[in-house]
Amino acid sequence: MPGMTARSRAERHRASTPLELFFDLCFVVAVAQAGGRLLHAVAEGHAATGIVSYAAVFFAIWWAWVNFTWFASAYDTDDPLYRVVTFVQITGVLIFAAGVPRAFDAGDWTIGVVGYVVMRLALTSQWLRAAYCTRGAERRVALRYAVGITVVQLGWIAMLLLTDDTGGARAAVFAVLVLAEMSVPAIAERDRPTSWHPRHIGERYGLFTIIVLGETIAAATVAVQEALDEHRAFGELLPIAVGGLLIVFSAWWIYFAVPIHDYLRGSREAFIWGYGHYLIFGSAAAIGAGIEVAVEEAVGKAHVSDTVAAAAVTVPSALFLLTVWALHARHFKRDLAEQLSLPVAALAILACTFAGEWAVLAAGLVAAATVIVEVALSRRPAVTG
């Protein structure tokens, strides 16, 4: 059996593998579960608690994906053992997805933590294999990852011992464990980064963005279809459907306007960019839930005002634009006009919240106009001194 050695950062034509794409698709189940629970929470008038639960659940989904993605970028051997261990990780993802409703609605993380244990046992074995097959600083990095992941996972298991009578202790422990999770890579790679591949990482994040946006379209389509079948409210639903599509299409266009791999030159840029995608992925998935809320409000099923229903779409849409600008697009802007286009668009989309039944359509038109402006600005001749 071949050893597990690091792949070269200079490797040409490094692309996502079919196994990585399969891994990503399995996360759709968990993303759909989180979005569905957010929909029900907001539609029932529990937006604040729903957003908090969604943020916690989506962090767990996103972080599991991040752990695998960066490891695979550095150590993907694609041999039989690697594939089998990845299948075990996928099994853990599906177990976690089954526990999302309980974690979301009742704060019961038991099934979710079991799924994480399965994923972490598999990932830790991958890091130990990498440590066994390497020497020196590279081996130390792999061992730090294995130890760090194991220690934090023990923390998640210990969190289950805290009962509801403990008050805010579980929430505090959850926050501490989140910080501990995100510190493991920084500690493990403090003196030597892993050999992740910039072009490959850029492609992996882009593909997961597509998958999340695809889930958003799927969820919104089902919501519109069910509303039409039950209520025949074509006139009320058409503006929401058109506006939702314009938002999602524009989100895709804006995210992929520039390639990111040339910016990811070192670990500092990569950490900030990679961690920041929690907001990009989370807001993209929340757009779908928001469109579903708007549909249910339009046909009288949601127990919220039209302003709250509109905000369920406009707030995550604006957050998506602002985060893409902050992490991604602003590094390639040439002047103030280009820099301001996305932040101004985000503010304009937020203002659409108060447009009543036309809010989603108005937000979609703003998003589409933003794409047109971005394209026009990017095609101007460069000013030379």
Side-chain angles (χ1 to χ4, degrees), residues 1 4 17-20 22-23 68 71 75-91 122 126 129:
M1 182 178 297
M4 178 177 282
T17 66
L19 181 59
E20 289 173 320
F22 183 48
F23 185 88
F68 169 79
F71 176 86
Y75 288 101
D76 182 5
T77 59
D78 201 30
D79 60 12
L81 179 57
Y82 179 88
R83 292 183 176 187
V84 170
V85 175
T86 301
F87 290 157
V88 174
Q89 290 180 265
I90 291 174
T91 303
Q126 297 277 47
R129 185 184 174 196

Side-chain angles (χ1 to χ4, degrees), residues 108-164:
D108 181 359
W109 285 85
T110 304
I111 296 176
V113 169
V114 170
Y116 244 65
V117 168
V118 174
M119 285 187 281
R120 291 306 181 78
L121 286 174
L123 182 62
T124 300
S125 72
Q126 297 277 47
W127 279 114
L128 289 175
R129 185 184 174 196
Y132 177 79
C133 297
T134 56
R135 294 291 182 269
E138 185 178 350
R139 183 172 187 271
R140 289 194 298 274
V141 171
L143 288 174
R144 287 175 193 153
Y145 264 111
V147 172
I149 290 170
T150 301
V151 169
V152 179
Q153 185 58 51
L154 291 174
W156 289 115
I157 296 172
M159 185 190 72
L160 297 179
L161 302 177
L162 297 174
T163 65
D164 294 336

Side-chain angles (χ1 to χ4, degrees), residues 288-314:
I291 294 172
E292 292 181 87
V293 172
V295 168
E296 291 198 358
E297 192 276 331
V299 298
K301 289 178 63 177
H303 303 130
V304 295
S305 66
D306 56 359
T307 302
V308 172
V313 179
T314 58

Side-chain angles (χ1 to χ4, degrees), residues 262-354:
D262 288 335
Y263 170 72
L264 301 177
R265 295 182 294 270
S267 294
R268 183 178 181 276
E269 295 91 349
F271 274 129
I272 295 173
W273 180 86
Y275 283 6
H277 268 72
Y278 166 68
L279 294 176
I280 292 179
F281 294 155
S283 60
I287 291 171
I291 294 172
E292 292 181 87
V293 172
V295 168
E296 291 198 358
E297 192 276 331
V299 298
K301 289 178 63 177
H303 303 130
V304 295
S305 66
D306 56 359
T307 302
V308 172
V313 179
T314 58
V315 171
S317 298
L319 180 60
F320 181 90
L321 292 186
L322 278 176
T323 312
V324 169
W325 169 78
L327 296 173
H328 201 105
R330 69 183 178 88
H331 304 294
F332 303 91
K333 302 298 186 181
R334 296 177 298 178
D335 54 30
L336 185 61
E338 291 188 13
Q339 287 289 4
L340 289 177
S341 60
L342 290 181
V344 169
L347 291 175
I349 287 177
L350 285 177
C352 293
T353 304
F354 306 99

